[in-house]
Coordinates of all heavy atoms in Angstrom, one line a residue:
Chain A
A116 N 84.4 106.8 139.7 CA 85.0 107.9 138.9 C 84.1 109.1 138.8 O 82.8 108.9 138.8 CB 85.3 107.4 137.5
L117 N 84.6 110.3 138.7 CA 83.8 111.5 138.5 C 83.1 111.5 137.2 O 82.0 112.0 137.1 CB 84.7 112.7 138.7 CG 85.2 113.1 140.1 CD1 86.1 114.3 140.0 CD2 84.0 113.4 140.9
D118 N 83.8 111.0 136.2 CA 83.3 111.1 134.9 C 84.0 110.1 134.0 O 85.1 109.6 134.3 CB 83.6 112.6 134.3 CG 82.7 112.9 133.1 OD1 82.0 112.0 132.7 OD2 82.9 114.0 132.6
A119 N 83.4 109.7 132.9 CA 84.1 108.8 131.9 C 83.7 109.3 130.5 O 82.5 109.6 130.2 CB 83.6 107.4 132.1
R120 N 84.7 109.5 129.7 CA 84.5 110.1 128.4 C 85.4 109.6 127.3 O 86.5 109.1 127.6 CB 84.7 111.6 128.5 CG 83.5 112.4 128.7 CD 83.8 113.9 128.4 NE 83.5 114.7 129.6 CZ 83.9 116.0 129.7 NH1 84.7 116.5 128.8 NH2 83.6 116.6 130.8
W121 N 84.9 109.7 126.1 CA 85.7 109.3 124.9 C 86.5 110.6 124.5 O 85.9 111.6 124.3 CB 84.9 108.9 123.8 CG 84.2 107.5 123.9 CD1 82.9 107.3 124.2 CD2 84.9 106.3 123.8 NE1 82.7 105.9 124.3 CE2 83.9 105.3 124.1 CE3 86.2 105.9 123.6 CZ2 84.2 103.9 124.1 CZ3 86.4 104.5 123.6 CH2 85.4 103.6 123.8
F122 N 87.8 110.4 124.3 CA 88.6 111.5 123.8 C 89.3 111.0 122.4 O 89.8 109.9 122.4 CB 89.8 111.8 124.7 CG 89.3 112.5 125.9 CD1 88.9 111.8 127.1 CD2 89.4 113.9 126.0 CE1 88.5 112.5 128.2 CE2 89.0 114.6 127.1 CZ 88.5 113.9 128.2
P123 N 89.2 111.9 121.4 CA 90.0 111.6 120.2 C 91.4 111.4 120.6 O 92.0 112.2 121.4 CB 89.8 112.8 119.3 CG 88.6 113.5 119.9 CD 88.6 113.2 121.4
I124 N 92.0 110.5 120.0 CA 93.4 110.1 120.3 C 94.4 111.3 120.1 O 95.4 111.3 120.7 CB 93.8 108.9 119.4 CG1 94.7 108.0 120.1 CG2 94.4 109.3 118.1 CD1 94.0 107.2 121.2
K125 N 94.0 112.2 119.2 CA 94.8 113.3 118.9 C 94.6 114.5 119.9 O 95.3 115.5 119.9 CB 94.4 113.9 117.5 CG 94.6 112.9 116.4 CD 96.1 112.8 116.0 CE 96.2 111.9 114.8 NZ 97.7 111.7 114.5
Q126 N 93.6 114.4 120.8 CA 93.3 115.5 121.7 C 93.1 114.9 123.1 O 92.0 115.2 123.6 CB 92.1 116.2 121.2 CG 92.2 116.8 119.8 CD 90.9 117.1 119.2 OE1 90.0 117.6 119.8 NE2 90.7 116.7 117.9
T127 N 94.0 114.2 123.6 CA 93.8 113.7 125.0 C 94.4 114.7 125.9 O 95.3 115.5 125.6 CB 94.6 112.4 125.1 OG1 95.9 112.6 124.7 CG2 94.0 111.3 124.3
P128 N 93.8 114.8 127.1 CA 94.2 115.7 128.2 C 95.5 115.2 128.8 O 96.0 114.1 128.4 CB 93.1 115.7 129.2 CG 92.5 114.4 129.0 CD 92.6 114.0 127.6
E129 N 96.1 115.9 129.7 CA 97.2 115.4 130.5 C 96.7 114.2 131.3 O 95.6 114.2 131.8 CB 97.6 116.5 131.5 CG 98.4 117.6 131.0 CD 99.9 117.4 131.1 OE1 100.4 117.0 132.3 OE2 100.6 117.5 130.1
L130 N 97.5 113.2 131.3 CA 97.1 112.0 132.0 C 97.9 111.7 133.3 O 99.0 112.2 133.4 CB 97.3 110.8 131.1 CG 96.4 110.7 129.8 CD1 96.7 109.5 129.1 CD2 95.0 110.9 130.2
A131 N 97.2 111.1 134.2 CA 97.9 110.7 135.5 C 99.0 109.7 135.3 O 99.0 109.0 134.3 CB 96.8 110.2 136.5
F132 N 99.8 109.6 136.4 CA 100.8 108.5 136.4 C 101.6 108.5 135.1 O 101.9 109.5 134.5 CB 100.2 107.2 136.7 CG 99.3 107.1 137.9 CD1 98.0 107.1 137.8 CD2 99.9 107.2 139.2 CE1 97.1 107.1 138.9 CE2 99.1 107.2 140.3 CZ 97.7 107.1 140.2
D133 N 102.0 107.3 134.6 CA 102.7 107.1 133.4 C 101.7 106.7 132.3 O 102.0 106.0 131.3 CB 103.8 106.1 133.5 CG 103.2 104.7 134.0 OD1 102.1 104.7 134.4 OD2 104.0 103.7 133.9
H134 N 100.4 107.1 132.5 CA 99.4 106.7 131.5 C 99.6 107.1 130.1 O 99.1 106.5 129.2 CB 98.0 107.0 132.1 CG 97.6 106.2 133.3 ND1 96.4 106.2 133.8 CD2 98.4 105.3 134.0 CE1 96.4 105.3 134.9 NE2 97.5 104.8 135.0

Side-chain angles (χ1 to χ4, degrees):
Chain A
L117 284 175
D118 198 358
R120 266 195 233 166
W121 289 106
F122 286 86
I124 215 72
K125 300 279 186 191
Q126 302 157 45
T127 52
E129 283 268 308
L130 295 183
F132 308 106
D133 57 350
H134 288 189

